[in-house]
Amino acid sequence: MFDRLRSHVMARIELTEEQFAESTRFFIPRHLRRKEFLLRAGDTGRYIAFVNRGCLRSYTIDKKGVEHVVQFAIEEWWIADLYSFLTDEPATYYIDALEDSEVLLLDRPSQEELCATLPAYERFFRLLLERNYIANHRRIAATLSLTAEERYLFFMKTYPQFVERLPQHQIASYLGITPESLSRIRRKLMQKS
Amino acid sequence: MFDRLRSHVMARIELTEEQFAESTRFFIPRHLRRKEFLLRAGDTGRYIAFVNRGCLRSYTIDKKGVEHVVQFAIEEWWIADLYSFLTDEPATYYIDALEDSEVLLLDRPSQEELCATLPAYERFFRLLLERNYIANHRRIAATLSLTAEERYLFFMKTYPQFVERLPQHQIASYLGITPESLSRIRRKLMQKS
DNA sequence: TTCAATCATTGATGTAGATCAAGAAATTGG
DNA sequence: CCAATTTCTTGATCTACATCAATGATTGAA
């Protein structure tokens, strides 16, 4: 159950086996079927989720009813509506499972207690946020400076594991284009090579 | 010199006056004239900067030579090429001053030592990154789901202090549109009201 | 105080990607 | 294994915003 989390955490911070074992009591395992929601906009989403198996996404729905994928998460990734997690305000994102999945949930009080009990976890979450900060700024820069085709190539290069695993229209949504446009981009790239 | 940093830090973490005073030795004050670079893409940018006075921006330059603003920073904001800071790889962003500015620089070894000496700073940087994570995800969601006009309104609402202070074409660049388009959007909004 | 640079505006025209519509292909769950 | 659903593709057309070009308004350095 906690094998993947153990290797993930212990690769990043100094922790004994005993300390890690102690930390597992803070995590709540949960199974999600494909299309099942972990969180809906409006809920108070007081946990962050570590993906043990499967694939999830967070997204918004605009006023026309169109979904816009903000993030994907597969094995060893974390996903959350961090704003809601940190402030207890209602969530602004939806999070659901794109495949049957297993997640480990950590709620806010548990995270506080975990960091207080094992300060190395404070460092762990800082490192996690640093990586995220970098990835988000790259995505912003890509959106500002690249065409749809270039963004797709960038996505393929950066997240090859996602390209084989996700439906195309989900990737299109993440890239900020329509499924039709992505289909045409792919055709064009096929012809080139 | 450190007044603004003191109130900024002490509003966020528990620190005695003595502890804060101790921490100031890690920061290197630096003055920047308008248009002066703090960092260029390709440099190794091994510090993060706290803005004491003035205004800076980070940006990329695309293959056509067009600049794309990734971030603005005014008083009490932090700015950096975090990837370069964390990895020692060459910077991917440019950072320069839009006004004459004073910054406090913290290099990577100093940050490590600071966090080791005063663990509250570990928490401080985690909090900082959390806020940033939220802001970045909101910006991504806005880019995915809003029109140029809606993004401008969102920007005005979120960062009113920037709107009065920054040249329009810098805001246009941040929003991912041309200065001409922003000018037309503003005209349209004037007429509406 | 002036001249050069920077910045904002406006009009004419171009285009990347959206939208609409329809059908084909692939998946999935019963 | 099959019907229902989801996903992908393709064509025709549309539109938000870009590009190009010119002019005026501000700003700032000497």
Side-chain angles (χ1 to χ4, degrees), chain A residues 25-28 106-115:
Chain A
R25 71 181 169 90
F26 294 106
F27 292 89
I28 305 151
L106 182 66
D107 67 30
R108 184 62 169 157
S110 295
Q111 191 206 27
E112 294 282 8
E113 202 184 329
L114 176 59
C115 289

Side-chain angles (χ1 to χ4, degrees), chain B residues 88-138:
Chain B
D88 271 356
E89 296 289 318
T92 51
Y93 300 126
Y94 295 81
I95 300 179
D96 67 8
L98 292 173
E99 304 171 3
D100 290 358
S101 304
E102 279 169 25
V103 294
L104 298 173
L105 301 177
L106 182 67
D107 67 29
R108 184 60 168 156
S110 295
Q111 191 205 26
E112 295 281 10
E113 203 186 328
L114 177 60
C115 289
T117 315
L118 298 164
Y121 267 99
E122 181 89 54
R123 180 176 166 81
F124 173 80
F125 288 111
R126 193 193 64 176
L127 294 175
L128 189 63
L129 285 161
E130 284 173 352
R131 296 292 135 187
N132 251 288
Y133 178 98
I134 293 167
N136 287 152
H137 264 204
R138 282 199 183 150

Side-chain angles (χ1 to χ4, degrees), chain A residues 162-186:
Chain A
F162 285 180
V163 177
E164 11 184 276
R165 191 157 169 181
L166 296 167
Q168 265 183 56
H169 68 283
Q170 297 293 346
I171 296 174
S173 171
Y174 179 93
L175 294 174
I177 58 179
T178 58
E180 294 94 324
S181 289
L182 183 54
S183 177
R184 280 183 254 264
I185 284 166
R186 283 166 54 87

Side-chain angles (χ1 to χ4, degrees), chain B residues 161-175:
Chain B
Q161 62 301 27
F162 285 179
V163 177
E164 9 184 279
R165 192 158 170 181
L166 296 167
Q168 265 183 56
H169 68 284
Q170 296 294 345
I171 296 175
S173 172
Y174 179 93
L175 295 174

Side-chain angles (χ1 to χ4, degrees), chain B residues 1 5 8-10 13 15 17 21 33 42 54 78 80 92 94 110 112 119 122 128-130 144-145 147 149 174 182:
Chain B
M1 178 61 80
L5 181 65
H8 175 75
V9 170
M10 292 180 76
I13 54 173
L15 219 55
E17 283 290 343
R33 298 187 165 270
W78 295 79
T92 51
Y94 295 81
S110 295
E112 295 281 10
E122 181 89 54
L128 189 63
L129 285 161
E130 284 173 352
L144 291 173
S145 62
T147 63
E149 179 178 326
Y174 179 93
L182 182 54

Side-chain angles (χ1 to χ4, degrees), chain A residues 63 68-69 71 82-83 86 93 115 122 126 130 132-133 137-140 143-145 150 176, chain B residues 63 68-69 71 82-83 86 93 115 122 126 130 132-133 137-140 143-145 150 176:
Chain A
K63 58 192 175 199
H68 300 277
V69 174
Q71 202 204 324
L82 211 64
Y83 176 71
L86 295 173
Y93 300 126
C115 289
E122 180 91 53
R126 194 193 63 177
E130 284 174 350
N132 251 289
Y133 178 98
H137 263 204
R138 282 200 184 149
R139 182 169 175 198
I140 289 167
T143 307
L144 291 173
S145 62
E150 289 166 338
Chain B
K63 58 193 177 199
H68 300 278
V69 174
Q71 202 205 324
L82 210 66
Y83 176 71
L86 295 172
Y93 300 126
C115 289
E122 181 89 54
R126 193 193 64 176
E130 284 173 352
N132 251 288
Y133 178 98
H137 264 204
R138 282 199 183 150
R139 183 169 175 198
I140 289 167
T143 308
L144 291 173
S145 62
E150 289 166 335

Side-chain angles (χ1 to χ4, degrees), chain B residues 140-157:
Chain B
I140 289 167
T143 308
L144 291 173
S145 62
L146 304 180
T147 63
E149 179 178 326
E150 289 166 335
R151 290 204 302 281
Y152 178 61
L153 291 168
F154 175 75
F155 181 83
M156 286 205 297
K157 204 175 108 195

